[in-house]
């Protein structure tokens, strides 16, 4: 991990800018976070980013905020988590505060309604890109367990319309149990040696 001179300032400005210029929710910010923290700054690896997103997604709260907490904590502990959370929540807080002052004008403005409607198509495209990137990353890792979890989850949600919470819990267990058994097997092997 390359560490700049002032990591806290870089963490804050990076998460602030990502949050300030990203519209459409948590999944839209994911590829931008990946590009910034994996490709540009090289602070984390691709697999770490996927793991962070998985944990953030299965935790209550906004995906962008949860992911930034995990990222900040991984890089600089509690202080890093606080800095990234502040950088992530300030832009929407300021923007929503400003919008609330002019809500009546915005609500009835046809131009604002048209712009927001058009942005929905862009958001859908970005979400599809995230799904494609994450799926490709899982399949190219050649991890059979991850691929099975992916396709089983997809079938359960789309074909059988199973609610997402049980699918998330089952997916977490399916991913966690093989690692747990391998760890126990390794411990018993070390004890015998």
């Amino acid at each position: 991990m390359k560490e700049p001179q002032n990591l806290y300032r870089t963490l804050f400005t990076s998460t602030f800018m990502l949050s300030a210029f990203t519209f459409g929710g948590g999944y839209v910010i994911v590829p931008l976070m990946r590009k910034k923290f994996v490709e540009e700054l090289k602070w984390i690896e691709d697999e770490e980013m996927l793991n962070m997103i998985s944990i953030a997604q299965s935790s209550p709260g906004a995906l962008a905020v949860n992911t930034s907490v995990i990222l900040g904590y991984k890089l600089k502990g509690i202080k890093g988590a606080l800095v990234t959370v502040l950088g992530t929540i300030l832009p929407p807080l300021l923007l929503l505060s400003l919008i609330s002052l002019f809500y009546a004008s915005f609500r009835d403005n046809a131009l604002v309604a048209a712009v927001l409607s058009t942005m929905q198509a862009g958001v859908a495209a970005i979400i599809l890109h995230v799904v494609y990137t994450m799926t490709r990353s899982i399949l190219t890792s050649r991890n059979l367990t991850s691929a099975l979890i992916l396709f089983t989850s997809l079938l359960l949600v789309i074909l059988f319309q199973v609610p997402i919470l049980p699918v998330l819990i089952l997916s977490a267990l399916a991913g966690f149990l093989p690692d747990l058994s391998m760890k126990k097997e390794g411990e018993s092997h070390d004890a015998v040696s």
Side-chain angles (χ1 to χ4, degrees):
M1 174 181 82
K2 294 179 181 174
E3 192 170 305
Q5 295 243 332
N6 193 337
L7 187 96
Y8 291 113
R9 181 174 43 226
T10 306
L11 271 173
F12 178 80
T13 56
S14 296
T15 53
F16 186 91
M17 297 301 278
L18 286 171
S19 184
F21 297 106
T22 305
F23 295 91
Y27 290 103
V28 175
I29 204 169
V30 168
L32 300 173
M33 289 180 95
R34 182 185 167 280
K35 182 174 183 175
K36 183 70 174 179
F37 299 114
V38 175
E39 294 177 9
E40 288 178 23
L41 296 173
K42 297 184 187 327
W43 286 353
I44 55 175
E45 298 294 321
D46 235 349
E47 188 174 337
E48 286 178 297
M49 187 71 195
L50 277 173
N51 291 338
M52 286 180 188
I53 293 163
S54 298
I55 293 167
Q57 185 176 351
S58 59
S59 305
L63 180 67
V65 174
N66 292 347
T67 307
S68 69
V69 167
I70 296 167
L71 176 74
Y73 186 79
K74 180 194 180 323
L75 295 173
K76 280 297 191 184
I78 300 279
K79 286 182 185 177
L82 291 173
V83 167
T84 55
V85 165
L86 191 61
T88 304
I89 64 171
L90 265 180
L93 178 68
L94 296 173
L95 184 62
L96 289 174
S97 298
L98 182 66
I99 288 173
S100 69
L101 296 174
F102 305 103
Y103 176 70
S105 302
F106 284 144
R107 181 187 62 207
D108 300 329
N109 188 315
L111 180 62
V112 171
V115 167
L116 291 175
S117 175
T118 305
M119 288 172 66
Q120 289 177 346
V123 168
I126 292 172
I127 290 172
L128 283 174
H129 175 71
V130 169
V131 169
Y132 169 76
T133 304
M134 291 176 75
T135 302
R136 187 184 71 204
S137 180
I138 288 170
L139 295 178
T140 56
S141 72
R142 299 184 192 268
N143 183 331
L144 184 60
T145 304
S146 296
L148 285 172
I149 291 170
L150 171 72
F151 289 115
T152 304
S153 299
L154 190 63
L155 288 173
L156 288 172
V157 171
I158 292 176
L159 291 181
F160 300 107
Q161 298 180 349
V162 176
I164 196 70
L165 186 59
V167 172
L168 283 174
I169 292 169
L170 288 172
S171 296
L173 288 173
F176 179 69
L177 290 177
D179 286 344
L180 185 64
S181 66
M182 285 174 51
K183 184 178 179 184
K184 284 186 178 183
E185 186 179 295
E187 287 174 358
S188 65
H189 186 275
D190 289 342
V192 172
S193 311

